[in-house]
């Protein structure tokens, strides 16, 4: 009797499941990330090019902002999705450096690829990268220069230099002087918690970029209005402002009501009562002394005409975000009832005007005593241009905000990366074994930033990088790429500055992404529609 020694095949996963594992899987993940890096690399720096992205709905976006590009790309590879996540986290935490962090993560993986192919354990690589990252963060903290806040003028000029560096790679770099002043003014107008959501940005197509306006207060587009609105005054000096969350329409009084009447005169009494209720509301508002009435809910034609007859300006359906900023700027409180309005509930400002900006009419509240908010009204020839200006200003605002709150800076233009690279190379020579090679590889990866800056600007990258290595070896720690000289120079003296937080966050995020991807050595992907989410196994999973 013959017995088979073969073990029967045990099916654990559904048929059609794709399983890839081992060294080949790690290399596949690295190659996917390098494809993303190649896409973003040409956009880095002052001479970086823009990318035109056409969405599935036909909407076009022109941008060189890393986070925006990655968000709009339809990336399906699960490993490459990691780079999208670190770029978003950099954008949320710091606001700038989204391209740098993605390129750096890709370069760390490229350096690791050679080690993986040679059979080195990914355990060792991740250990070496983490050690190198710690050393970099410590070195940045040692090197960073503290901004002195004592002298307001000097502090302001320092913030403007940081903003100038942030916009140097953007569409608005030619108008950087105009926009950096606007950015610093807007951040300094906020209170101590520096909530950038209180900087309102409104876009009005038409006109040149330098026709953009900074309003130290609140501006919002004229709301929907009824008959009688044009009879209202459109300009006030020192007005009293009442903010409501009340609907001032006649129909509002009979909502959800069921009334049974026996005689016609009873019906007339109900109609009269409805009119009386809204007239009582309007009378309370008029008696409060308010010159301007704003409401989140509609203000109907009856109320509009009533206010026009009494020289009161009104605006209904005000966006809740705009309303919140009005209250921050002028003081007072939002009222949910029209009775018992006290003078302390009213806000005030120096001037109120309704003005025409391009094809739109705007309500401007200026000279606000409580001004903890401001509004930027952006102009430009095309919608895509204005959208890119908004993204550029967002990055600059976040950079200035971080400089105010953390007030330590380092030189940009690849200077800090070259100094860290030199420091890691020197450190690697003091240790033995494979760790020396891995930390040396991290040092080499850091050079990708100045190299890419040179390539995008059309400079000779090999020559300038050799000059930079030589300068840093002689102790010139702030030497980086100087685009004005088309050579190397002292970027600290040239006012090419960045908050140190940008660099520490970028290096930490890039290292985290690289080590996580190196620790994943198996992907299990189910082709069934309901189980379409890929699973990963390794020392880390994504």
């Amino acid at each position: 009797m013959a017995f088979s020694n073969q073990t029967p095949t045990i099916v654990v996963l559904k048929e059609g499941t794709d399983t890839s594992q081992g060294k080949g899987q790690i290399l596949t993940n690295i190659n996917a990330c390098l494809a993303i890096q190649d896409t973003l690399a040409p956009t880095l720096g002052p001479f970086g090019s823009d990318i035109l992205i056409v969405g599935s709905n036909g909407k076009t976006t022109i941008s060189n902002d890393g986070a925006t590009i990655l968000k709009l790309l339809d990336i399906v590879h699960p490993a490459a999705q990691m780079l999208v996540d670190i770029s978003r986290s950099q954008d949320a935490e710091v606001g700038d450096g989204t391209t740098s962090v993605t390129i750096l993560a890709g370069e760390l993986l490229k350096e690791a690829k050679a080690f993986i192919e040679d059979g080195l354990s990914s355990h060792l690589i991740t250990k070496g990268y983490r050690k190198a990252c710690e050393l970099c963060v410590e070195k940045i903290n040692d090197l960073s220069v503290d901004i002195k806040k004592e002298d307001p003028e000097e502090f302001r000029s320092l913030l403007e230099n940081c903003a100038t560096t942030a916009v140097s790679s953007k569409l608005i770099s030619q108008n950087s002087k105009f926009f950096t002043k606007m950015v610093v003014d807007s951040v300094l107008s906020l209170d101590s918690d520096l909530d950038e959501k209180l900087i309102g940005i409104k876009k009005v197509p038409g006109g040149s970029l330098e026709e953009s306006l900074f309003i130290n207060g609140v501006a919002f587009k004229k709301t929907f209005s009824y008959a009688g609105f044009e009879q209202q005054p459109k300009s006030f000096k020192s007005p009293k402002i009442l903010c409501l969350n009340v609907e001032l329409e006649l129909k509002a009084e009979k909502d959800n009501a069921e009334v049974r009447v026996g005689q016609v005169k009873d019906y007339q009494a109900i109609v009269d009562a409805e009119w009386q209720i809204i007239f009582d509301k309007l009378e309370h508002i008029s008696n409060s002394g308010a010159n301007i009435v704003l409401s989140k809910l509609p203000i109907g034609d009856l109320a509009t005409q009533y206010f026009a007859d009494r020289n009161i300006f009104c605006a209904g359906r005000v966006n809740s975000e705009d309303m919140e900023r009005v209250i921050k700027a002028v003081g007072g409180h939002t009222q949910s009832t029209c009775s018992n309005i006290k003078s302390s509930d009213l806000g005030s400002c120096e001037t109120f005007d309704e003005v025409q900006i391009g094809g739109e009419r705007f309500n401007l509240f200026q000279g606000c005593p409580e001004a903890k908010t401001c509004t930027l009204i952006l102009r430009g020839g095309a919608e895509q241009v204005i959208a890119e200006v908004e993204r550029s200003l967002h990055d600059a605002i976040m950079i200035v905000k971080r400089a105010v709150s953390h007030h330590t800076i380092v030189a940009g233009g690849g200077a800090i990366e070259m100094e860290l690279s030199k420091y890691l190379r020197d450190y690697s020579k003091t240790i033995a074994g494979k760790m020396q090679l891995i930390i040396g590889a991290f040092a080499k990866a850091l050079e990708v930033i100045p190299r890419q800056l040179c390539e995008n600007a059309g400079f000779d990258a090999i020559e300038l990088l050799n000059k930079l290595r030589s300068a840093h070896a002689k102790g010139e720690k702030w030497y980086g790429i100087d685009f004005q000289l088309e050579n190397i120079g002292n970027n600290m003296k040239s006012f090419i500055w960045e908050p140190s937080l940008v660099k520490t966050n970028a290096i930490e995020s890039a290292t985290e992404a690289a080590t996580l991807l190196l620790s994943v050595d198996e992907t299990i992907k189910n082709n069934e529609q309901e189980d379409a989410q890929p699973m990963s196994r390794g020392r880390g999973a994504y």
Side-chain angles (χ1 to χ4, degrees), residues 188-210:
L188 293 180
S189 71
L190 301 177
D191 56 12
S192 56
D193 63 353
L194 297 175
D195 182 2
E196 72 275 4
K197 289 178 185 156
L198 292 174
I199 300 174
I201 296 182
K202 306 294 178 187
K203 294 175 276 192
V204 183
S208 69
L209 291 177
E210 296 211 358

Side-chain angles (χ1 to χ4, degrees), residues 295-315:
S295 179
K296 292 182 187 178
L297 299 173
I299 295 178
D301 43 6
L302 172 69
T304 304
Q305 188 63 57
Y306 182 94
F307 289 137
D309 294 343
R310 287 156 183 76
N311 285 332
I312 296 172
F313 175 90
C314 71

Side-chain angles (χ1 to χ4, degrees), residues 92 224 336 384 422 462 470 500:
F224 180 85
S336 54
Q384 287 93 337
K422 176 231 171 199
I462 295 170
S470 171
S500 55

Side-chain angles (χ1 to χ4, degrees), residues 84-127:
V84 181
D85 293 341
I86 60 165
S87 148
R88 282 184 182 170
S89 76
Q90 177 81 3
D91 194 41
E93 180 61 26
V94 190
D96 198 21
T98 50
T99 309
S100 306
V101 70
T102 312
I103 291 173
L104 189 54
E107 197 66 18
L108 289 172
L109 290 168
K110 189 189 282 184
E111 292 296 327
K113 186 180 176 184
F115 293 133
I116 297 287
E117 285 170 342
D118 290 343
L120 197 65
S121 166
S122 57
H123 266 302
L124 271 173
I125 302 171
T126 55
K127 188 180 174 188

